[in-house]
Amino acid sequence: AAASSGGIVAYAGSKFDNTAEQTQVAQKKKMVVLGTGWAGTAFLKNLDYSLYDVKVISPRNYFTFTPLLPSVTCGTVEPRSIVEPIRKIIGKNKLLFNWFFILLSQKGEEIDYWEADCYKINTVGKKVLCRSKIGTNLDGTGEFVVDYDYLVIAVGAQVNTFNTPGVMEHCHFLKEIEDARRIRRSVIDCFEKASLPYLDEEERKKNLHFVIVGGGPTGVEFAAELHDFVAEDLTKLYPAIQDLVKISVIQSGEHILTMFDQRIAEFAEAKFQRDGIDVRTGYRVVKISDNSITMKCKSTGETSEPYGMAVWSAGVGTRPVIVDVMKQIGQENRRVLTTDEWLRVCGCDGIYAIGDCATISQRKVMEDISAIFKFADKDNSGTLTVKEIQDIFEDLCIRYPQLELYLKSKHMSDIADLIRDAKGGDVEKGSMQLDIDELKIALAHVDSQVKSLPATAQVAAQQGQYLAQCFNSMRDCEEHPTGPLRLRDSGRHRFRPFQYKHFGQFAPLGGEQAAAELPGDWISIGHGSQWLWYSVYAR
Ligand code: FAD
Ligand code: MG
Ligand code: MG
Ligand code: MG
Ligand code: MG
């Protein structure tokens, strides 16, 4: 019994051993977390605060449940019900994860939050330069500097206007709670303006033309919400002008919702058509003035249309502070900050990036093919048997997730299939072996299946959770380093590279309709799938 409760006894012992506790405090590494969105919050919820000296810096002292943001624009959902104060989240961690530390030691684990922007990261000196907007310090700037040993960047992305003239000045964006509130006010304003006595019909129509630029999930969902809001509430309040309302979705690609299964895209387009929402595919917005929007279509050329309100949801861009980091570390030619599969930023030390601000560079099988062969060929025979490949296969699939995708895409079920494929047809039992050249042929096209992960809350949250688990077991990792392929040797699953688990996508389409795409090609369309989808986040 004494042996089995060893862990607890050790913790209890340290309570009375003051020197041990003090040295532990002195040794704590300094960790700075930037951002309190999906990625940052998931990280903070899962991190063991007793292990690090943590400072959280973000201009927003609350977390926003972004999937419900479009519903706030039309009053379906109250703003306060989709935010959670960050100080509450930090406090929760203390209670949920460290409750026994609190019980056993006099003081709980402290973690700081400061409401400020990080405007520069010094990757060599390991410092972040921050600026608070809500108060100034002695030199009148509100600026301060924080040192770090580990930096977790979770600042998300910003809107991308693609330098389209007029977008910044005349369009709404939909990213924050304030944006949703402003949009709501603006919709009502348009209805009031259209009701004024001195306008002619053309001018009323202009004010009631709502344009959404971008046919991604956010734009589509907002269009659907707006349609319902107009149909259910506003037509009752403004009966005289209800027939003049027009909602347009402008999409440069061939379809809306291109990240979903095509059946969903078609379903959504058909639904919108029935609702009278004008979906313009193949149109690119080139200019926006205060009362007209100009777009270009390959076949018909340039057209301009009057509008009352425009919402821009057509793309994501990199924040300036991240662009600067990329310059410092030799990533200036990349589009997005790049990490390895353990979410470490490539080209610098002690920096991790999660969520929309970064992308994972998946290592290619063909880059490592010789090492893989050598590793698998345990008997140094110069050939790999089915068993030799089998022995490393699971590890290979973890290290190179594209391998599994490739087998699936080729409808191959096992290694024998792979060998037959490489050897070009039927193979006798005795010669089910591959030499290095044959292995290269067998795996030649595997890397074509490398896919970058979508910029979604699901990915961000899973990365935050994964990275926290890595940090929680960091000491263990340092004491037991493992090679890149020896992933399962000691059963330490936390050494695994980050692996995304797709739980499906969901697109509310207004009314009681929604389209959900779930793993395994199961598609359900209709009422009730919404809550199924939200449960994806509630893990
Ligand atoms: P964010 O959640 O954007 O968080 C970034 C954080 O960093 C914020 O707290 C911000 O204040 C802070 N920050 C910014 N700049 C700095 C700085 N310089 N210094 C310090 N902190 C900074 N995804 C889904 O999976 N399903 C959906 O249904 C869905 N719906 C969406 C609807 C809308 C309207 C929007 C806008 C997005 C939606 N998304 C959805 C996408 C999802 O919200 C993002 O993928 C997710 O927020 C990314 O998380 P993140 O932590 O990387 O960034
Ligand atoms: Mg974040
Ligand atoms: Mg967020
Ligand atoms: Mg990302
Ligand atoms: Mg061999």
Side-chain angles (χ1 to χ4, degrees):
S4 67
S5 62
I8 304 284
V9 172
Y11 286 130
S14 67
K15 171 193 162 191
F16 304 105
D17 186 354
N18 253 329
T19 48
E21 194 180 303
Q22 269 159 15
T23 45
Q24 213 203 342
V25 169
Q27 281 171 353
K28 270 192 192 176
K29 293 257 172 76
K30 291 184 289 262
M31 176 188 287
V32 171
V33 181
L34 301 177
T36 51
W38 277 98
T41 304
F43 179 78
L44 291 168
K45 278 188 174 168
N46 289 282
L47 184 69
D48 179 350
Y49 297 162
S50 66
L51 302 174
Y52 301 92
D53 172 14
V54 186
K55 315 273 184 226
V56 183
I57 297 162
S58 172
R60 216 176 60 193
N61 71 351
Y62 53 86
F63 162 77
T64 310
F65 192 92
T66 50
L68 286 176
L69 214 42
S71 307
V72 172
T73 60
C74 299
T76 323
V77 168
E78 280 298 317
R80 67 168 178 281
S81 65
I82 71 161
V83 300
E84 195 175 359
I86 199 68
R87 291 189 183 276
K88 214 167 133 193
I89 291 166
I90 296 172
K92 249 189 211 155
N93 179 311
K94 212 164 33 182
L95 291 176
L96 278 178
F97 292 88
N98 296 338
W99 59 271
F100 56 93
F101 289 104
I102 294 173
L103 289 179
L104 295 174
S105 66
Q106 275 87 359
K107 58 177 197 310
E109 299 300 335
E110 297 289 327
I111 121 165
D112 289 312
Y113 164 77
W114 294 318
E115 187 173 322
D117 268 290
C118 165
Y119 67 91
K120 186 165 175 81
I121 297 167
N122 177 342
T123 58
V124 179
K126 294 197 162 186
K127 291 174 200 311
V128 293
L129 283 62
C130 305
R131 192 180 289 134
S132 165
K133 283 201 194 87
I134 51 170
T136 53
N137 53 10
L138 285 178
D139 62 20
T141 59
E143 287 177 7
F144 58 97
V145 180
V146 187
D147 292 323
Y148 66 82
D149 297 305
Y150 301 117
L151 177 64
V152 176
I153 305 180
V155 296
Q158 66 180 25
V159 292
N160 193 350
T161 67
F162 305 106
N163 293 321
T164 311
V167 173
M168 273 299 175
E169 297 86 330
H170 304 298
C171 286
H172 286 275
F173 303 102
L174 182 49
K175 234 180 135 16
E176 306 287 344
I177 283 277
E178 293 81 35
D179 298 331
R181 284 208 187 98
R182 265 196 296 270
I183 288 174
R184 184 173 160 72
R185 260 197 312 275
S186 173
V187 171
I188 306 289
D189 280 352
C190 286
F191 273 84
E192 291 300 349
K193 268 192 228 162
S195 308
L196 289 169
Y198 49 78
L199 296 188
D200 63 21
E201 173 140 331
E202 279 313 300
E203 280 170 294
R204 289 188 216 286
K205 270 192 179 161
K206 165 194 169 297
N207 278 305
L208 293 175
H209 185 201
F210 299 95
V211 177
I212 293 112
V213 186
T218 307
V220 164
E221 197 179 337
F222 171 65
E225 282 283 343
L226 183 61
H227 170 266
D228 287 1
F229 187 34
V230 171
E232 285 157 25
D233 300 328
L234 296 179
T235 50
K236 289 186 203 113
L237 301 174
Y238 304 89
I241 51 172
Q242 55 168 314
D243 294 334
L244 307 179
V245 179
K246 184 174 161 192
I247 300 172
S248 304
V249 177
I250 301 171
Q251 161 75 341
S252 55
E254 286 299 301
H255 284 284
I256 57 173
L257 296 177
T258 45
M259 62 290 300
F260 288 83
D261 186 284
Q262 201 184 329
R263 281 169 287 176
I264 285 180
E266 282 163 9
F267 174 79
E269 282 168 13
K271 163 91 170 66
F272 275 9
Q273 201 172 6
R274 282 197 304 279
D275 287 348
I277 298 174
D278 180 28
V279 178
R280 303 261 189 101
T281 52
Y283 279 87
R284 202 163 50 82
V285 172
V286 291
K287 197 175 81 192
I288 296 183
S289 73
D290 60 348
N291 54 25
S292 92
I293 182 160
T294 308
M295 49 200 141
K296 223 180 199 160
C297 170
K298 265 202 200 108
S299 51
T300 57
E302 226 173 80
T303 50
S304 283
E305 262 188 56
Y307 74 96
M309 188 190 99
V311 174
W312 183 271
S313 74
V316 289
T318 307
R319 292 192 188 279
V321 63
I322 302 298
V323 173
D324 181 68
V325 166
M326 291 166 75
K327 271 189 203 136
Q328 290 180 48
I329 61 176
Q331 288 195 16
E332 58 268 64
N333 294 327
R334 292 184 179 269
R335 231 168 28 84
V336 192
L337 184 66
T338 302
T339 71
D340 66 13
E341 300 91 329
W342 286 266
L343 310 180
R344 298 174 293 200
V345 174
C346 307
C348 57
D349 181 43
I351 306 185
Y352 301 74
I354 49 182
D356 284 3
C357 67
T359 189
I360 298 173
S361 157
Q362 172 60 46
R363 207 165 159 84
K364 309 287 188 298
V365 169
M366 291 313 278
E367 284 169 10
D368 296 342
I369 194 82
S370 308
I372 292 171
F373 187 88
K374 236 170 103 190
F375 187 80
D377 190 14
K378 291 272 168 359
D379 61 357
N380 279 321
S381 64
T383 56
L384 301 184
T385 61
V386 173
K387 172 146 194 334
E388 278 176 325
I389 303 177
Q390 204 109 51
D391 284 345
I392 66 153
F393 199 69
E394 210 178 319
D395 286 348
L396 272 186
C397 287
I398 293 169
R399 185 70 187 86
Y400 310 95
Q402 62 265 43
L403 182 53
E404 225 170 332
L405 294 175
Y406 176 75
L407 292 183
K408 236 186 179 168
S409 76
K410 290 291 223 172
H411 304 289
M412 293 183 183
S413 52
D414 58 12
I415 293 147
D417 282 348
L418 198 70
I419 294 180
R420 272 186 223 109
D421 185 61
K423 296 214 170 201
D426 279 345
V427 185
E428 280 170 44
K429 249 204 150 82
S431 51
M432 283 291 270
Q433 298 204 339
L434 293 180
D435 62 25
I436 177 82
D437 292 321
E438 287 165 330
L439 184 72
K440 278 183 190 166
I441 293 169
L443 302 180
H445 302 294
V446 167
D447 293 323
S448 66
Q449 294 290 326
V450 172
K451 289 196 180 78
S452 54
L453 296 174
T456 64
Q458 278 187 71
V459 172
Q462 285 182 31
Q463 290 184 337
Q465 184 181 11
Y466 164 85
L467 189 62
Q469 285 164 352
C470 290
F471 271 110
N472 291 347
S473 56
M474 178 89 88
R475 191 173 302 160
D476 199 26
C477 290
E478 277 164 2
E479 283 163 13
H480 310 277
T482 48
L485 283 166
R486 237 165 283 185
L487 291 161
R488 291 180 315 119
D489 276 2
S490 50
R492 267 187 211 88
H493 62 281
R494 283 165 188 151
F495 296 137
R496 285 181 172 202
F498 172 72
Q499 257 183 312
Y500 172 57
K501 291 179 213 70
H502 189 59
F503 289 104
Q505 299 190 80
F506 175 80
L509 297 171
E512 296 294 295
Q513 295 274 23
E517 183 186 335
L518 295 154
D521 248 7
W522 173 43
I523 292 185
S524 79
I525 289 168
H527 178 53
S529 40
Q530 186 155 355
W531 299 106
L532 184 71
W533 167 243
Y534 291 136
S535 69
V536 159
Y537 303 106
R539 294 174 320 114

